[in-house]
Amino acid sequence: MQKESVSIVLCGEAGQGLQTVEKLIPKILKREGFNVFTFNDYMSRVRGGSNYLEIRVSSKPLRAFVERIDLLIPLNEGKLDRLNKRISKDTLFVGTENVNCKNLGIDLTKLSGNLPGKLFMNTLAIGFISGLFNVDKELMKREIENYFADKDKELINNNVSLSLIGYRTGNDLLMQKKVVFDIKKNNLKNQVILSGNEAIGLGCLAGDCKFIPSYPMTPGTGLMTFMAQHAKKMGIIVEQSEDEIAAINMALGAWYAGARSIVTTSGGGYDLMQEGMSLAGITESPLVVHLAQRPGPATGLPTRTEQGDLNLALYSGHGEFPRIILAPGNFEDACLVSQLAFDLADKYQVPVFILTDQAFLDQTYNLNIEVKNKVQDHFVKTLKDYKRYDLKNTISPRGIPGFGEGLIGVDSDEHDEEGHITENFDVRIKMMNKRMKKLELIKKEVIKPEIYGDKNYKKLIVCWGSSFNAVKEAVENLGKGYAVLYYKQVYPLHQDTEKILKKAKKIYCVENNFAGQFADLINKETGMKLNKILKYNGLPFSVEELTRGLK
Amino acid sequence: MTDKKEFDVVNADIAWCPRCGDFLILSIIKSALAELNMSPENVVLVSGIGQAGKMPQYLRSNFFNGLHGRPIPVATAVKTSNPGLNVIVTSGDGDVYGEGGNHFIHAIRRNPNITILVSNNMIYGLTKGQASPTSQRGFKTPIQTEGVILEPFNPLSTAIALDASFVARAFCGDMEKTKEIIKEAIKHKGLSIVDIFQPCVVFNKVNTYEWFKANTYYLENHNPKDRIEAFRRATETDKLPLGIFYVNNKNTFEENIEAYKIDKKPLFMRRNDQNKIKEIINSKF
């Protein structure tokens, strides 16, 4: 057990306010100087069920899900069944149930005096945790007041006074040394707390995204919500379309008119968008798709996580055309690649995917973030003799209607240089060659996979997207001989892949899916066979299972 | 007035059958644009798939010939991204009312300032003669061998029921009146829909030029602000009325969008403000 990190799990029904804890605790603890990570596992329902929130507090940044529970705080009784395997004899327990671990003998519901304690369990818990970490009481009060600022005075006062009761209870345990944590404080003044959704959203804003037509689908909706919340301030447009088909066609209309645009969806919604993806291919339109993965097929596990749609991104849309697939593994990269997605789409006139998943989007943690929006537009002012698909260049300069003297014609049919329908076989070959040749240019600008861990690695663990942080922590635990190879761009595959892999004695590929889709892609491109470590129950990899599995 | 020839595509290899009603509609649209003094550079034609979907191929302007059923979302986004452009959907009954039916409904709710011109020949021409959403009951085709058993889709009553901004019907055989209706539709601020009867001379041997002439008449002394009356007239089936059924002036989608309330510039002329992004980041401390 790492002494310098604590894993706290709260559980309760939907509607009990776990979200309030998720929003407030990271803010309070980060301001106090602790690194914080949250992960939630929730059911597909608005009320009831059993949801869990994991909060990791640590001396140094640890940003992955762990099985271990150091402190367990149920907000109601009888919801522990799914946690049984994770509770050990060392787990500290706050509650009245008979659980085989260290019961601290505290009943939060009894602390609320005349107030309905059950309604305020979340606030009591916020106070309790704050007290356990001995945070500045005023700081906690301020954060709670800010959070409930738009509520009536009585409600704010009740929340504050109950948080103070919780605080005293937690703080007493600390003072009596019944609970001992050894978490070091850091200067985190310049750091922010973000969710995956927010990190992607900031990247989109920095990438000059101005039009977001989408249809709600978990977990893709979060990005749409973030953009909508800032739409007025930024002067951008978020439109909830009638369906995903409309969304992607709107995005293509926006790009055609010169507005950078993204659609955000999940697998099922993306299925409907595939015709639009293919349209982007033949019209050589830039397009950015945020494909937020969840377990399928069909409705699958709507609120859980998976990395099962790499092949979907890779092969979707009929016909042959080039594409780019990005898959950030941390929030710094989420912001970076989301911004880059727009530039790459614009520059190469191709669709670009940002592949994320539920676990990644719903996590929160503290980080340094800097956004530079140096945007270079790639559309041109046209002259009278402009031809949209000029064959002189592999990438024909992209004009937009109403900017210059030229006319902009684009066509879903095979077309000539002016965009007019053609069935001329020679033109067809020239246009196909021109479109496919862009892939060769794209390959020259692929983001290099990053290596962490022992430079003289014998065992190399390949991962992509959201699995990165858990693999990285596991490799740090394993130490000598281990390294991670992390891909934030999965397609086209970086050309050094084979060279890097060949240095290892044993290669694993860790993926949150059944088939090992990325390992298969590497095999297809390099001929190398990777050992697959897979998980597809709807949860992300835990640090422990990877540490065990990679030994 | 612009010279109508400005809209001609030189050496166009037109794929329509001789006497196809779409030739007339093409000519009518060119005349209407010329008389409205529009320039090709400022017009965007958006279409889907079908014979009518080829319209933009033969009319010199900006164009986006997209996917089957999808011209309306594309047109909406083009107009929304750059409200200064004149955006016109030119497509057919299968495209707009069938494959794209959902977009038709929601475009009316959204009310972008675009015009939708639907060549309605009551048949699928491109795929060689199957029923369309507007085919009449009993109409026999190689697929509907015993005749169509579905109720025909009524675009006018649907649009009026949804409180559309401008609803009209025309018959391309009467070029002069159709042109005037189309001009009114393009001038109208808000979503304007013109359902244009268009004979398919090869596959539809029932709804011919003669049939449309005999089975249509023009609305007279009709108040297009009267929604109930407009709806009643739109549901007439013995003889099919032509003309402007319903006009409802209201704010457009673009006018209702916050992004244009302060800044009128099209989206391509704007840049996301870095300081505002920093402010958002700062709110996450």
Side-chain angles (χ1 to χ4, degrees):
Chain A
M1 171 172 160
Q2 284 159 303
K3 284 206 170 130
E4 294 196 18
S5 88
V6 175
S7 153
I8 305 166
V9 171
L10 294 101
C11 51
E13 289 178 16
Q16 273 198 313
L18 272 181
Q19 257 191 347
T20 308
V21 183
E22 190 189 0
K23 289 258 156 62
L24 276 170
I25 282 292
K27 270 200 163 181
I28 294 167
L29 293 183
K30 190 229 70 167
R31 279 183 193 274
E32 194 67 24
F34 299 112
N35 286 293
V36 197
F37 163 89
T38 70
F39 165 77
N40 65 47
D41 167 18
Y42 61 100
M43 296 178 83
S44 181
R45 49 197 290 175
V46 178
R47 289 285 181 274
S50 55
N51 297 340
Y52 305 93
L53 168 68
E54 175 169 305
I55 304 169
R56 285 185 85 187
V57 190
S58 53
S59 304
K60 59 171 191 159
L62 294 174
R63 301 160 162 190
F65 165 63
V66 285
E67 285 164 19
R68 192 189 81 224
I69 300 175
D70 298 318
L71 175 65
L72 178 60
I73 311 175
L75 298 188
N76 58 356
E77 289 185 5
K79 297 288 176 189
L80 298 174
D81 43 328
R82 280 173 44 226
L83 291 175
N84 278 339
K85 280 186 193 157
R86 297 174 55 190
I87 298 170
S88 74
K89 59 178 175 31
D90 295 322
T91 301
L92 301 169
F93 184 71
V94 178
T96 50
E97 280 169 273
N98 191 12
V99 182
N100 190 18
C101 61
K102 285 185 190 159
N103 198 322
L104 291 169
I106 290 162
D107 183 358
L108 285 179
T109 52
K110 296 267 160 63
L111 297 175
S112 57
N114 296 328
L115 291 164
K118 284 207 161 150
L119 279 182
F120 291 96
M121 281 296 279
N122 55 350
T123 311
L124 283 160
I126 290 167
F128 181 75
I129 295 167
S130 302
L132 276 180
F133 287 91
N134 202 28
V135 307
D136 178 357
K137 209 186 289 179
E138 289 307 310
L139 182 152
M140 177 192 79
K141 258 177 73 178
R142 218 167 38 238
E143 290 298 336
I144 289 173
E145 281 165 357
N146 286 344
Y147 186 82
F148 291 106
D150 58 347
K151 298 284 189 302
D152 67 63
K153 235 195 157 90
E154 195 189 339
L155 189 118
I156 299 173
N157 289 341
N158 286 345
N159 272 295
V160 168
S161 53
L162 285 172
S163 72
L164 289 171
I165 294 170
Y167 186 95
R168 203 181 319 125
T169 314
N171 207 245
D172 285 350
L173 288 174
L174 182 73
M175 294 307 153
Q176 293 156 15
K177 301 229 161 89
K178 283 187 184 161
V179 175
V180 183
F181 296 141
D182 185 23
I183 315 292
K184 289 189 181 61
K185 289 188 188 181
N186 305 267
N187 182 0
L188 304 176
K189 243 196 183 147
N190 295 323
Q191 299 204 359
V192 291
I193 304 263
L194 292 182
S195 67
N197 280 311
E198 291 169 328
I200 300 274
L202 286 167
C204 292
L205 290 176
D208 216 31
C209 176
K210 299 201 194 78
F211 191 49
I212 304 96
S214 289
Y215 186 88
M217 181 172 183
T218 304
T221 320
L223 175 62
M224 193 180 171
T225 310
F226 174 85
M227 298 301 262
Q229 279 166 355
H230 301 293
K232 195 172 172 180
K233 181 190 184 87
M234 297 301 302
I236 60 172
I237 298 168
V238 176
E239 178 59 6
Q240 183 175 323
S241 55
E242 54 271 28
D243 53 35
E244 285 88 349
I245 301 172
I248 195 161
N249 280 282
M250 282 184 182
L252 293 171
W255 276 102
Y256 171 75
R260 289 186 165 198
S261 181
I262 190 173
V263 290
T264 174
T265 186
S266 188
Y270 179 71
D271 285 350
L272 293 179
M273 293 185 176
Q274 292 198 40
E275 58 167 42
M277 173 58 52
S278 186
L279 179 61
I282 198 158
T283 57
E284 299 194 54
S285 173
L287 174 67
V288 181
V289 175
H290 175 228
L291 177 47
Q293 301 164 101
R294 75 187 209 192
T299 313
L301 294 169
T303 59
R304 297 314 199 301
T305 204
E306 198 159 275
Q307 293 181 290
D309 293 337
L310 170 59
N311 282 344
L312 178 68
L314 202 49
Y315 301 115
S316 54
H318 56 288
E320 298 162 289
F321 55 92
R323 67 193 77 197
I324 295 169
I325 306 173
L326 307 170
N330 59 36
F331 294 171
E332 290 88 343
D333 284 345
C335 194
L336 196 89
V337 305
S338 305
Q339 181 174 358
L340 184 66
F342 290 88
D343 292 336
L344 292 173
D346 204 349
K347 183 174 174 185
Y348 295 108
Q349 303 176 13
V350 294
V352 179
F353 287 89
I354 305 167
L355 265 188
T356 64
D357 52 52
Q358 179 269 327
F360 186 79
L361 295 167
D362 290 341
Q363 287 171 15
T364 66
Y365 50 78
N366 54 292
L367 71 154
N368 271 311
I369 197 132
E370 209 183 326
V371 172
K372 287 192 188 118
N373 68 334
K374 259 195 180 170
V375 174
Q376 194 203 334
D377 282 322
H378 291 271
F379 58 77
V380 294
K381 193 167 184 172
T382 55
L383 300 171
K384 201 109 198 144
D385 60 348
Y386 174 80
K387 289 175 182 167
R388 173 65 187 89
Y389 301 104
D390 194 330
L391 283 164
K392 280 201 291 290
N393 305 293
T394 302
I395 298 167
S396 319
R398 190 170 65 91
I400 56 174
F403 188 51
E405 296 165 12
L407 294 175
I408 321 302
V410 306
D411 200 334
S412 67
D413 290 272
E414 190 56 273
H415 40 256
D416 61 18
E417 289 182 290
E418 286 178 345
H420 282 120
I421 186 168
T422 184
E423 294 188 37
N424 180 312
F425 298 128
D426 293 334
V427 176
R428 159 69 176 177
I429 290 171
K430 281 180 186 155
M431 285 295 167
M432 270 306 280
N433 290 349
K434 175 174 117 71
R435 288 192 291 267
M436 295 310 288
K437 217 173 135 190
K438 292 193 287 187
L439 192 60
E440 298 313 311
L441 301 178
I442 292 165
K443 279 180 179 171
K444 291 178 184 160
E445 207 187 337
V446 174
I447 307 171
K448 204 174 173 174
E450 291 169 7
I451 302 180
Y452 294 88
D454 189 345
K455 284 208 174 68
N456 301 312
Y457 54 86
K458 293 204 167 45
K459 289 187 179 178
L460 187 62
I461 327 299
V462 176
C463 66
W464 59 282
S466 65
S467 302
F468 168 56
N469 277 330
V471 173
K472 184 165 169 265
E473 193 174 330
V475 161
E476 280 163 9
N477 289 344
L478 291 161
K480 201 165 174 269
Y482 284 87
V484 190
L485 184 63
Y486 153 52
Y487 285 83
K488 55 186 114 172
Q489 176 166 359
V490 290
Y491 189 81
L493 197 64
H494 195 274
Q495 56 190 12
D496 288 354
T497 297
E498 195 173 346
K499 203 169 75 193
I500 301 168
L501 294 181
K502 279 195 166 149
K503 279 193 203 161
K505 284 228 163 63
K506 190 150 194 184
I507 316 159
Y508 294 94
C509 189
V510 173
E511 294 180 69
N512 236 182
N513 60 43
F514 178 87
Q517 297 176 14
F518 189 54
D520 289 347
L521 175 65
I522 291 177
N523 180 257
K524 179 175 159 273
E525 303 263 324
T526 67
M528 296 188 67
K529 266 201 133 150
L530 279 60
N531 298 288
K532 295 172 180 176
I533 296 189
L534 307 168
K535 183 174 184 179
Y536 45 89
N537 68 347
L539 290 170
F541 284 99
S542 72
V543 175
E544 292 96 334
E545 68 189 325
L546 284 175
T547 311
R548 285 193 301 269
L550 294 168
K551 245 178 202 156
Chain B
M1 190 173 129
T2 319
D3 185 353
K4 188 181 167 185
K5 287 201 178 99
E6 281 276 306
F7 296 100
D8 288 347
V9 174
V10 183
N11 299 327
D13 173 20
I14 298 187
W16 293 326
C17 313
R19 287 193 75 233
C20 174
D22 278 330
F23 280 107
L24 302 177
I25 297 174
L26 174 64
S27 174
I28 295 166
I29 298 172
K30 285 180 184 175
S31 302
L33 294 176
E35 287 175 27
L36 290 171
N37 202 24
M38 292 195 172
S39 66
E41 293 76 26
N42 213 30
V43 172
V44 182
L45 292 195
V46 185
S47 70
I49 299 300
Q51 294 296 8
K54 291 176 184 161
M55 196 76 68
Q57 305 282 346
Y58 316 133
L59 195 153
R60 196 177 151 268
S61 67
N62 296 290
F63 69 91
F64 190 120
N65 185 176
L67 297 171
H68 189 38
R70 317 302 169 211
I72 294 175
V74 172
T76 301
V78 172
K79 184 72 182 178
T80 308
S81 300
N82 186 352
L85 296 168
N86 298 299
V87 182
I88 302 167
V89 170
T90 52
S91 228
D93 45 331
D95 198 62
V96 177
Y97 305 143
E99 188 87 24
N102 199 28
H103 311 310
F104 179 71
I105 290 170
H106 293 279
I108 295 169
R109 294 179 54 224
R110 207 170 264 127
N111 197 35
N113 185 13
I114 63 172
T115 297
I116 302 175
L117 304 178
V118 185
S119 300
N120 180 2
N121 56 9
M122 304 181 176
I123 196 160
Y124 279 40
L126 186 66
T127 51
K128 302 194 194 302
Q130 302 78 21
S132 99
T134 53
S135 292
Q136 305 207 314
R137 271 179 185 256
F139 183 73
K140 286 189 178 173
T141 85
I143 306 278
Q144 287 78 19
T145 52
E146 303 306 309
V148 170
I149 53 171
L150 274 64
E151 195 65 43
F153 180 72
N154 185 332
L156 306 189
S157 59
T158 304
I160 296 164
L162 290 165
D163 210 12
S165 196
F166 182 104
V167 183
R169 182 157 59 200
F171 165 47
C172 69
D174 186 345
M175 293 180 71
E176 196 51 39
K177 285 221 171 85
T178 301
K179 183 187 73 189
E180 291 309 318
I181 291 170
I182 289 177
K183 276 165 72 181
E184 288 306 311
I186 293 172
K187 279 194 290 185
H188 177 79
K189 183 173 75 69
L191 184 74
S192 49
I193 299 160
V194 187
D195 182 64
I196 309 168
F197 286 146
Q198 169 240 344
C200 170
V201 294
V202 173
F203 295 109
N204 190 336
K205 302 294 188 192
V206 177
N207 309 107
T208 59
Y209 282 98
E210 294 69 30
W211 187 91
F212 281 118
K213 224 173 271 172
N215 286 281
T216 58
Y217 73 98
Y218 282 95
L219 291 169
E220 274 176 40
N221 301 321
H222 171 68
N223 175 12
K225 303 270 175 191
D226 185 340
R227 188 175 174 204
I228 303 293
E229 179 62 9
F231 187 82
R232 204 181 63 73
R233 303 303 291 270
T235 54
E236 287 181 12
T237 50
D238 281 354
K239 266 197 163 192
L240 302 159
L242 305 171
I244 298 169
F245 284 68
Y246 185 53
V247 176
N248 171 20
N249 293 309
K250 52 183 174 180
N251 272 3
T252 66
F253 180 57
E254 308 85 84
E255 285 172 334
N256 286 332
I257 286 173
E258 289 293 332
Y260 286 119
K261 286 189 180 161
I262 304 159
D263 190 348
K264 300 282 180 220
K265 281 201 298 290
L267 298 184
F268 83 88
M269 290 176 75
R270 307 177 186 203
R271 181 66 31 100
N272 288 347
D273 184 342
Q274 195 167 352
N275 290 325
K276 287 182 179 170
I277 300 173
K278 274 189 188 142
E279 279 172 31
I280 296 170
I281 293 174
N282 289 341
S283 72
K284 306 289 174 191
F285 277 117

